[in-house]
Amino acid sequence: MTEVMLNEKRKLGVCQRLLEFAYDARRFILHNRSIIEIAPLQVYYSALLFVPTTSLVRRKYLFGFPWILMGPKVVRRWGPLMLTLEGHSSWVRAVAFSPDAKLVASASGDHTVRLWDTATAGSRGVLKGHLDCVNAVVFSPDGKLVASASSDGTVTLWDLATGGSCRVLKGHSAWVRALAFSPDGKLVASASDDKTVRLWDPATAEPSGLLEGHSSWINAVAFSPDAKLVASASNDKTVRLWDPATAGSCGVLEGHSGRVIAVVFSPDGKLVVSASDDGTVRLWDTATAGSCGVLEGHSNAINAVVFSPDGKLVASASNDKTVRLWDPATGGLCGVLEGHSSWVNAVVFSPDGKLVASASNDRTVRLWDPATGALCRVLEGHSDYVLAVMFSPDGKLVASASSDTTVRLWGPETEASCRILERHSNEVNTVVFSPDGKLVASASDDHTVRPWNPATARLLGVLEGHSDRVNAVAFSPDAKLVASASSDGTVRLWNPATAGSCGVLEGHSDAVNAVVFSPDAKLVASASNDKTVRLWDTETGESSGLLEGHLSSIRAVVFSPDGKLVASASFDNTLRLWDPATGGSCGVLEGHSSWVMAVVFSPDGTLVASASDDKTVRLWDVTQKTIIQEIHTGGQITDLAFSAVTNLDTGPGMLTLTSRPNPSNTTWEILPPPLHVIGEWVIWNRNKILFLPWDYRPSSSVVNNDILVMGHQSGHITFMRFDPTTLARHLTFSSTQLSPVQGKNFCCSIFLL
């Protein structure tokens, strides 16, 4: 008998482990759907590397990669995020579940509605026809129709069976921002910037009523469960209740101190919930129009609010990038869903309440399990968008600048945030090390520049005086001066040791975008939106030249190593060379098909490199004023620097320039960076070696030899270190096993497929 019981327990244990593994495998597949579709063999690499450390699939199949010396830090357990749906090319403004919860519809600024399968995350179609942004989308109660509202002033009804447009509802004189079907499907309500709500018969496309009374745009509209009331939310800071049968007013709900963005009825119709850009959610009694409570906790405007089907939860979506879950009975917070990297515009529960869908400006729709709690943070770090990352001159520190108003210093070898530089009161736009690495200067939207000692994290002073955001900061070659450029149209010189002002350089008539010292520190050059470069004497602060000729804003400016030339890069798609001694033009370099974002001279001054919004880097011969070589980077590059005559640092990676054997030595071969990031891929020597999931794709990145540092919109910093020798061995081995063509494909398939 005892033996039988033990056998039964063993069987139960085996079944339990199998169920746990099956659950984990499902989460693994859903989490990595995009990897499986785009690059299936990356399941053995990226998919295993970026899932939670306690994942049973990861534990069973991750044996380590000899070519990755330092992997990314990831969460320990699965969070509530179930799926990320990618496909829209612009902001996702609205999201809705079908009545049977088998489909999700998303509306986007790319003028389309997309349909998704909630079980597989697969695309079920794209609804095209609107001429402008689609602001709202909703299913009919019977699930046979989808209605979408657009900035083109129309509402379109789509037949789900065919995917085609069946009716277009015209009548509004401005953007249509919101939609709702009545519970019986016999009416559609649309809310517009024309300050009205219109009621329509979806069967005939005929108007059924006009609700007028708001004094500003109407952002949201909702029917009560019995269809006897309509609620509308407006920029006039009020919610209005209406009788759809008579188009008469049934009450005005006042209390918000900002625009009311969203409104919804509880499932029993006894409550109305409204959300505002004042950062609060308010509960109202529909019978008395009185307030029933205020839900506070979001740190920014709230764009959407919704009840769960059983009425026991309220979900709110905010510009603070989170969705919050609330108990409407107590007003208590039940959970925070974190993971979006930009504003969350919409949120909705599935009909069974087991899923929450959210739509964001990060161009994704995310599905969450509201029962599992808040998503764990990946890595202690910034709490907002990382705007810039930079290595110190010796490569031992990384500085990151963020919208969270801080600068963080990191040790790449330990992946630890070793210093937090906190004193700015607004987002930090840029951070730069002094040439000797002994100082760090940060520039901010709070109109100040702050110098720091990176060894001690001590603030050395506050450089105050600008009346607008500081766009750029530069150290002089000897680090005795700092120059700052501002949107207030001025350049200021400072002594970083004393935090004292050394002069105000005035003359530009528009924002100054860039500033640089000459090699001897006797001149400063500044580039402005006023289409000019100005030269200044650092001793006297007087103007010493005005360089005119560009036809649009100037993005960047740089001196040649000997100080005898100045190069400027402009939004007019050109580079210009100047003689700083005379102010005369020395040539126009034309060829880019879009804005030129960065420019730099080679150490010997014979070459100029330029980076453009056309996703190319071009090399130019300074003497001949001709293009030598063009390389397609596959992504936008905004920073350039030569570390040697043959090494061009692009920020994301190093370009190696190797001269071909010919007497003139004017033709160059450009080898792509050994290590860099383009889009969703980590690249090594032209090979896509690692697919980056959505949350790990960088907002900024920097490479130092074999270390890759990525800053993310979420505020996290990811460090990875690769072994070039092992990578080379793997790639060489792959290419020798097959024919040259097969080898190339196989080489790619090992890492990128």
Side-chain angles (χ1 to χ4, degrees), residues 258-466:
R259 298 175 302 164
V260 188
I261 308 299
V263 65
V264 66
F265 284 91
S266 61
D268 61 8
K270 294 180 179 180
L271 291 177
V272 166
V273 175
S274 56
S276 168
D277 66 2
D278 64 13
T280 68
V281 173
R282 287 181 176 261
L283 306 176
W284 311 87
D285 186 313
T286 55
T288 65
S291 175
C292 296
V294 183
L295 310 181
E296 298 178 288
H298 283 293
S299 60
N300 210 322
I302 303 172
N303 299 313
V305 64
V306 65
F307 271 95
S308 61
D310 61 6
K312 294 181 179 179
L313 285 177
V314 169
S316 54
S318 170
N319 284 357
D320 65 11
K321 308 177 187 177
T322 71
V323 173
R324 287 179 177 255
L325 303 176
W326 312 85
D327 182 338
T330 66
L333 181 65
C334 300
V336 182
L337 308 181
E338 297 178 285
H340 281 295
S341 59
S342 190
W343 298 353
V344 189
N345 298 315
V347 63
V348 65
F349 280 91
S350 61
D352 60 6
K354 293 181 179 180
L355 287 176
V356 171
S358 56
S360 169
N361 278 9
D362 66 13
R363 296 181 290 177
T364 70
V365 175
R366 293 181 181 235
L367 301 184
W368 313 81
D369 179 354
T372 60
L375 182 66
C376 301
R377 302 299 286 180
V378 175
L379 175 67
E380 287 301 319
H382 292 291
S383 59
D384 208 341
Y385 207 117
V386 178
L387 298 170
V389 289
M390 175 172 288
F391 272 96
S392 61
D394 61 7
K396 294 181 179 180
L397 284 178
V398 171
S400 57
S402 170
S403 295
D404 69 4
T405 76
T406 72
V407 173
R408 284 179 180 254
L409 301 177
W410 309 80
E413 297 296 332
T414 61
E415 198 176 347
S417 174
C418 52
R419 306 271 193 293
I420 304 175
L421 313 183
E422 300 176 287
R423 290 298 177 85
H424 283 293
S425 59
N426 208 326
E427 70 176 33
V428 186
N429 306 312
T430 188
V431 61
V432 61
F433 283 92
S434 61
D436 58 9
K438 294 181 178 179
L439 294 176
V440 169
S442 54
S444 169
D445 273 10
D446 66 9
H447 308 175
T448 72
V449 175
R450 294 174 188 255
W452 314 80
N453 182 331
T456 63
R458 186 169 69 90
L459 179 64
L460 303 179
V462 182
L463 312 185
E464 298 180 284
H466 285 296

Side-chain angles (χ1 to χ4, degrees), residues 563-582:
K564 294 181 178 180
L565 283 178
V566 168
S568 54
S570 171
F571 282 7
D572 65 11
N573 304 353
T574 71
L575 301 169
R576 287 181 177 258
L577 300 177
W578 313 87
D579 182 341
T582 65

Side-chain angles (χ1 to χ4, degrees), residues 552-636:
S552 188
S553 301
I554 304 174
R555 166 77 186 204
V557 63
V558 65
F559 280 92
S560 61
D562 60 7
K564 294 181 178 180
L565 283 178
V566 168
S568 54
S570 171
F571 282 7
D572 65 11
N573 304 353
T574 71
L575 301 169
R576 287 181 177 258
L577 300 177
W578 313 87
D579 182 341
T582 65
S585 174
C586 297
V588 182
L589 308 182
E590 298 177 287
H592 283 296
S593 60
S594 188
W595 301 345
V596 187
M597 312 293 289
V599 60
V600 65
F601 281 93
S602 62
D604 60 6
T606 61
L607 297 175
V608 165
S610 58
S612 168
D613 196 53
D614 64 13
K615 299 182 181 178
T616 69
V617 170
R618 290 175 179 250
L619 280 183
W620 311 81
D621 184 295
V622 171
T623 304
Q624 301 297 324
K625 315 297 188 297
T626 56
I627 185 170
I628 295 172
Q629 186 72 48
E630 177 184 25
I631 181 169
H632 292 269
T633 62
Q636 188 187 84

Side-chain angles (χ1 to χ4, degrees), residues 721-735:
R721 187 171 187 177
F722 298 85
D723 184 343
T725 303
T726 308
L727 272 170
R729 190 183 308 122
H730 274 281
L731 294 171
T732 302
F733 172 79
S734 302
S735 62

Side-chain angles (χ1 to χ4, degrees), residues 523-525 533-537 542-547 559 566 580:
L523 290 178
V524 165
V533 172
R534 286 183 176 263
L535 303 176
W536 312 87
D537 187 312
E542 297 296 321
S543 175
S544 61
L546 177 63
L547 313 182
F559 280 92
V566 168

Side-chain angles (χ1 to χ4, degrees), residues 171-191:
H172 286 293
S173 59
W175 290 8
V176 187
R177 291 187 179 268
L179 284 174
F181 272 98
S182 62
D184 58 9
K186 293 181 179 180
L187 286 178
V188 171
S190 57

Side-chain angles (χ1 to χ4, degrees), residues 177-248:
R177 291 187 179 268
L179 284 174
F181 272 98
S182 62
D184 58 9
K186 293 181 179 180
L187 286 178
V188 171
S190 57
S192 170
D193 283 4
D194 64 13
K195 307 175 188 178
T196 70
V197 173
R198 288 181 177 263
L199 302 177
W200 312 83
D201 183 337
T204 64
E206 294 298 319
S208 298
L210 180 64
L211 313 182
E212 297 180 287
H214 282 295
S215 59
S216 189
W217 300 348
I218 304 176
N219 300 308
V221 64
F223 280 93
S224 63
D226 60 7
K228 293 182 178 180
L229 286 177
V230 169
S232 56
S234 171
N235 278 10
D236 64 14
K237 304 178 185 179
T238 71
V239 173
R240 287 181 177 258
L241 300 178
W242 313 85
D243 182 340
T246 64

